[in-house]
Amino acid sequence: MDRSPARHPGRDGRSERSLSSTVAGVAAITLILIALLLPDAVERITPYAFLRVPLEAALLVLLLALAADRIRLLLAAIAGLTIGATAILSIADMGARTAFARPFDPVLDWHILPSALNLLTGTLGPAGAYAAVALAVLAVAAILGLALWATLRLARIVGRHRRPAALGALATAAAWSLLSFADVRLAPGQPLASADASRLVVDRIARARVSLADLDTFREVAAIDAFDDVPADRLLAGLAGKDVLLVFVESYGRDALENPLFASEVTTVLRDGDARLAAAGIDVRSAFLDSPTVGGQSWLAHGTVLSGLWIGNQQRYDSLIASDRFTLVDAFDKAGWRTVAVMPAITMPWPEGTTFGYETIYAAADLGYRGRPFDWVTMPDQYTLATLHARERKPGPRRPLMAEIALISSHAPWTPLPDMVPWTAVGDGTVFDPMTLRGDPPDVVWRDTARVRTQYRLSIEYALTNLISYAETFGGEDLVMIILGDHQPAPLVTGEGATRDVPVHILASDPAVLNRIADWGFAPTLLPPPDAPVWRMDALRDRLLTAFGADYVAASPSTNHPAVPAEAAD
């Protein structure tokens, strides 16, 4: 007779269900804590970041414990979606800080998504770009779904244990208050008592209100302009007969000159350039400008220089385009120059060009390049400059030229990179084809931050070498070049804490041109010293129109535009 203990099939099942429920509960609570404690910057992701006490978690448990049964799940669902959205905002902040050295703006940053897709398409190809977008959408859905599941699971746990849950939440809130009052920190910048999620939501609401209100303020400022009624014969008289090239160098920031990661090699190019330009009879003046953007959105810098207004976001740029603001392009056109835009990165319709009033626009398809692209970069800078020269700076009778030029070889992903060729060999661009197949592709290079930084440095050296070579080869008393960076590269390249300063160089062979800006305090070299003037970029238009106007009177050095810290520029 079998005398073994009796088996109870239901007991094992209940134990497994209990264990499963416990694991699910722990997982739900862990997900909620991670979402509430998720930092908004990559460098703040440390083990300490997730060992803090979030006030929001205690308040959520208390709310669910006190809520009536019929609304508890509804409150949990609302809380889940809110917590998920907060986590997404934190991740968006990480991306914005890494790319643009600023937090994500929920009102304004949706405008840059098409540009981001274009860059992804150029770097990863159409399939890779759309795959990345699909993964991003799935990630957003997954975060919201997991947060919703976690708070609903928490609501059921609290519903079964209302009293101990409420007492535990009150005890946690009390402990949080003491920790906050005592300012207990696990590490610098990591207080044990956290309310980061709440502050993030409040900050984004405040930022959205400021962004929406900013448009009215901008329109009022844009309506005031001292130059739009100046007669044509009084405008830019100090540049009469000169071809004026306004050249933006992509991602050419102050760090390229001063950051130890790049400075040694880049400053060597600039010092060599000083000697080469001097031998060609070309003088230089250099300083710094404070750009309205970092890491991208170059058009904001272009709009700032052309309009004399601080174009710090897409909303302001759109308002500028819709306005009748008197720009540098308008000034040169009114004074008799032929105005041209050379935009090798423009591969789609560009209505802004017509709004700015250029007489001729050379987009990528208009420049006749027959070579292979350099990944996202449609053509090398040397080809861009050579084509402009061949088409617009022809000898013989013609109007003087004003050209805005955007050089893009120093645009990410910075691989592959071209080499200089003799100017006479540029031709239709096919001479560069073998260079497009050299080195590792972006998806390999961008796995290593050190390699990304090296490629960035090489691209800046290439861009500067081009400009120096162009000036010494095609310069003369009829040429004035204003060369400036559009913005610093992303913090991934510079590291944290970089300024928004970019170099500005003015090159001319005619001493009378540079005599007009003698009071600006610019350094007589391509390499401005650390104490060189730093102007806001929106000051450049008015300074140029004043210095080269017919009514110019030299100002005293004390009137130099003061340096403006980046954080005050907005």
Side-chain angles (χ1 to χ4, degrees), residues 164-179:
L167 292 175
L170 287 171
T172 301
W176 185 94
S177 299
L178 291 174
L179 293 169

Side-chain angles (χ1 to χ4, degrees), residues 156-225:
R156 294 187 181 96
I157 296 172
V158 171
R160 293 196 298 267
H161 309 282
R162 294 179 61 174
R163 182 179 176 82
L167 292 175
L170 287 171
T172 301
W176 185 94
S177 299
L178 291 174
L179 293 169
S180 179
F181 179 77
D183 194 23
V184 178
R185 294 174 179 265
L186 295 169
Q190 299 281 7
L192 187 54
S194 167
D196 291 354
S198 297
R199 278 193 286 267
L200 178 64
V201 172
V202 171
D203 176 73
R204 288 306 171 272
I205 293 173
R207 184 179 293 274
R209 292 178 62 184
V210 170
S211 297
L212 292 171
D214 176 68
L215 186 56
D216 291 334
T217 302
F218 177 75
R219 286 172 175 164
E220 292 175 4
V221 172
I224 303 171
D225 193 343

Side-chain angles (χ1 to χ4, degrees), residues 252-273 453-454 456-458 460-461 464-465 527:
Y252 179 36
R254 183 170 187 157
D255 269 45
L257 280 57
E258 297 180 354
N259 191 319
L261 295 169
F262 325 113
S264 176
E265 294 86 350
V266 173
T267 55
T268 296
V269 172
L270 293 176
R271 290 192 180 96
D272 178 65
R453 288 170 169 166
T454 297
Y456 164 73
R457 171 182 61 78
L458 292 171
I460 293 297
E461 293 177 43
L464 294 174
T465 300
L527 185 58

Side-chain angles (χ1 to χ4, degrees), residues 62-255:
L62 183 61
L63 176 65
L64 294 176
L66 296 177
D69 292 341
R70 62 182 178 275
I71 65 168
R72 185 179 297 113
L73 290 181
L74 175 60
L75 292 175
I78 294 172
L81 293 175
T82 302
I83 290 171
T86 302
I88 291 168
L89 276 177
S90 295
I91 295 170
D93 269 357
M94 291 184 204
R97 290 182 190 278
T98 300
F100 307 123
R102 59 168 177 77
F104 174 74
D105 190 314
V107 173
L108 303 175
D109 281 347
W110 303 110
H111 296 276
I112 67 175
L113 292 180
S115 298
L117 180 60
N118 290 337
L119 179 57
L120 282 174
T121 301
T123 303
L124 304 177
Y130 285 107
V133 171
L135 287 174
V137 172
L138 288 174
V140 168
I143 291 170
L144 291 175
L146 286 171
L148 182 59
W149 171 83
T151 53
L152 290 174
R153 170 65 67 169
L154 178 65
R156 294 187 181 96
I157 296 172
V158 171
R160 293 196 298 267
H161 309 282
R162 294 179 61 174
R163 182 179 176 82
L167 292 175
L170 287 171
T172 301
W176 185 94
S177 299
L178 291 174
L179 293 169
S180 179
F181 179 77
D183 194 23
V184 178
R185 294 174 179 265
L186 295 169
Q190 299 281 7
L192 187 54
S194 167
D196 291 354
S198 297
R199 278 193 286 267
L200 178 64
V201 172
V202 171
D203 176 73
R204 288 306 171 272
I205 293 173
R207 184 179 293 274
R209 292 178 62 184
V210 170
S211 297
L212 292 171
D214 176 68
L215 186 56
D216 291 334
T217 302
F218 177 75
R219 286 172 175 164
E220 292 175 4
V221 172
I224 303 171
D225 193 343
F227 292 97
D228 57 0
D229 292 327
V230 175
D233 61 346
R234 315 304 295 171
L235 278 171
L236 299 165
L239 293 172
K242 310 293 186 187
D243 287 341
V244 179
L245 307 185
L246 177 63
V247 185
F248 287 89
V249 180
E250 173 67 36
S251 299
Y252 179 36
R254 183 170 187 157
D255 269 45

